Amino acid sequence: MLDNLTQRFSGIVKNLRGQARLTESNIQDALREVRLALLEADVALPVVKEFIATVKEAALGQEVIGSLTPGQALIGVVNRELTKLMGEANVGINLATVPPAVILMAGLQGAGKTTSSGKLAKLLHEQNKKKVLLVSCDVYRPAAIEQLRTLAQQLGIDFFASDASQKPLDIALAAHDYARKHHHEVLIVDTAGRLAVDAAMMAEIKDLNAALKPIETLFVVDAMTGQDAVNTAKAFGDALPLTGVILTKLDGDARGGGALSVRQVTGKPIKFVGVSEKPNGLEAFHPERMAQRILGMGDVLSLLEEAQRNVDHAAAEKLAKKMHSGKGFDLNDFKMQIVQMKKMGGMSALMDKLPAQLSQAAAGAKIDERQINRTEGIINSMTPWERAHPEQIKASRKRRIAAGAGVQVMHVNQLLNQFEQSQKMMKMFSSKGGMAKMMRGMAGKFPGLR
């Protein structure tokens, strides 16, 4: 979603590369490009004006004027101000209250409240080890209650049954009573939305808020709504004591300005972002990391956290020993790496978090999800013996493997060649001074590694 913004900022740095100093004149030119980049990304005009004024004031400081790398200096200032614009630091969910801690989900219809309720329940259950109860108070949208029930069942989360003939307030109070009696630590209440802000919806959610006294009232907003997200956020912020924002569909292809506007308009922190449709597609929002991603620096910390949560550490340790010895690395290990990568969201999710230079190089290699799935299919078509002894796979075996995977023999040959290259790299990695040789080889492709 933020790719266009990243490309524009990269262009600004290139334009400043030939300048000897950062002067008021070239700052003005660069900030004009920054303003255009933000407006093109659908960031609200008042937010853009304030941001540009703040960056200009900071960039004209003595430390920046005297810098020998003006592009880096300006991006450093923009990075700091972008981080401030989005909230400076991650603000976690507050559960410090007498159980059950009530979390009220508010927002327009279609913003992703129901799926976000399920994802949040899964996150609190798995990462915070909380006993969570889900309830739907949406008696208007067809099958809304059934949708949350199905989602809760898939995620293994407790669900409080309700039906469309009941009043939303009665459902909420009954669920709260049930949660208290059955020792649930968190109650997540999914509320009704409308296609636009209206008085009836606001009155209903105000009543729910007054009766339940939630410790968290989260405003769920679709990142693809652009400028209109600001107006919606303001309406909900005026009507409810919001404590935070969940920004959904950040993996979409819209311009993403809502991410930069909502926090400034509501004055409330963005607590989570929806990054995929998968059950684990909700991530804690870190403003400093998002700013780095926008500026093409990548988000390596989130990548490491994702690996920590999803990678099979025993299998990874076993693979590390094989790499260290330089022996025994076979197609079973190759497949395990593919499975681990899929658990982390696949190739596209990993590339999103890489610094722009590495991400573009990976994109240039034309590795896509279909190619990875095909590779896994070919390996699955092999016998355990063939996976352990890929060098013994001759023509007749290749034909059988290709037929089993639904591909051509040349695709099997390509995989075996790739694997042979990986084996050579593993041997180099395990040999004395191998890491230094690898880094020297990579320095030719990535000048920054020299």
Side-chain angles (χ1 to χ4, degrees), residues 106-109 113 140 191-208 232 236 240:
L108 292 182
Q109 190 174 309
K113 288 191 303 300
Y140 310 105
T191 63
R194 301 282 195 281
L195 294 175
V197 174
D198 65 35
M201 177 181 70
M202 286 305 183
E204 184 182 290
I205 203 162
K206 277 182 183 177
D207 290 344
L208 285 170
T232 311
F236 273 92
L240 291 169

Side-chain angles (χ1 to χ4, degrees), residues 23 39 65 157 177 203 311 339 398 416 436:
T23 64
L39 289 172
I65 294 293
I157 303 292
D177 189 52
V311 167
V339 172
K398 287 177 185 177
L416 293 173

